[in-house]
Amino acid sequence: MAPWLRTPIEVAANVVSRVESGTSRIYRYRLKFDSDELQKRLTREANRVRNQRTANRVKPASGASVAVTIKSPEAKGASESLAEASGDVSETGCLKDISTGGVGVFLSRKAESVFAETELVEISFELPPSSGPLTLIGWIRHRRLKGNRMSYGIEFDTELSDNFAPQLDRIIQYIVRCQEQEEVTAQG
């Protein structure tokens, strides 16, 4: 089971055919899912497994550069000797895009040597106009080398992130501002 899938997923289906083979009675079934029923039953968790987006993304407002720091949550509260022994425990980069479900970030190429074996990270950033940093826990869903930078897609974990709801409100406000600016730019 994928580490982010917290509960089993059950979806109703009709058996279209059943084939029995071998002397040990091995059955092979062909199932047909009602697409409406399937869509109703699929949770956000299932969409993650199926690699489908659950929210629209926006790029930072024109000319805005949003600094992002990513570190392993295990490094939180680590002693200086542990941090020194493990080398760099964090990387700073810039926000590529953001949605209510997660962020895309660009980090230096060396970030992959730091995060190659990491799936769960703590991400901190400030969205303009700033009213303090946002700090969330997220899962690295994809990583790609783009030129001399690494592109990471990080999905927020709503349960592991402290104070997620008020931080999500700030993210939504930022997304709305970016969308309004995009509309003004497109009309003018």
Side-chain angles (χ1 to χ4, degrees):
M1 183 184 308
W4 58 89
L5 187 60
R6 294 178 188 89
T7 58
I9 298 170
E10 294 182 20
V11 180
N14 293 321
V15 176
V16 175
S17 68
R18 181 183 85 176
V19 177
E20 182 179 337
S21 62
T23 57
S24 59
R25 292 187 173 214
I26 298 172
Y27 296 100
R28 190 174 72 204
Y29 292 91
R30 195 171 106 211
L31 305 173
K32 181 177 181 183
F33 297 94
D34 178 328
S35 60
D36 292 337
E37 176 68 17
L38 181 63
Q39 194 61 37
K40 287 178 190 173
R41 295 286 185 135
L42 286 176
T43 63
R44 184 174 178 181
E45 299 287 338
N47 282 335
R48 289 181 197 145
V49 173
R50 292 174 53 226
N51 197 25
Q52 290 191 355
R53 297 202 186 283
T54 57
N56 291 327
R57 330 177 251 183
V58 297
K59 294 182 182 195
S62 298
S65 178
V66 179
V68 175
T69 301
I70 298 178
K71 65 181 179 178
S72 173
E74 293 79 19
K76 266 174 101 171
S79 68
E80 283 298 312
S81 60
L82 177 60
E84 290 171 8
S86 64
D88 291 332
V89 293
S90 68
E91 284 288 323
T92 302
C94 65
L95 187 71
K96 174 181 156 193
D97 54 47
I98 188 167
S99 75
T100 56
V103 293
V105 298
F106 285 124
L107 298 175
S108 71
R109 190 177 196 157
K110 77 173 192 155
E112 188 59 14
S113 65
V114 175
F115 296 111
E117 306 267 330
T118 304
E119 289 185 47
L120 190 65
V121 294
E122 178 184 280
I123 181 165
S124 300
F125 53 94
E126 290 189 41
L127 297 172
S130 179
S131 58
L134 297 167
T135 301
L136 300 151
I137 303 296
W139 295 93
I140 296 177
R141 293 294 181 218
H142 72 80
R143 46 185 108 217
R144 282 190 198 98
L145 180 62
K146 290 193 172 195
N148 62 352
R149 306 186 289 184
M150 288 299 298
S151 172
Y152 288 89
I154 302 170
E155 178 184 11
F156 301 136
D157 189 303
T158 60
E159 293 175 18
L160 295 177
S161 299
D162 292 335
N163 300 316
F164 182 75
Q167 294 188 91
L168 179 61
D169 288 341
R170 289 175 53 200
I171 291 169
I172 291 170
Q173 290 170 6
Y174 179 77
I175 290 170
V176 168
R177 282 193 306 273
C178 288
Q179 289 172 332
E180 288 171 349
Q181 184 176 358
E182 286 175 9
E183 287 177 21
V184 168
T185 303
Q187 292 174 356

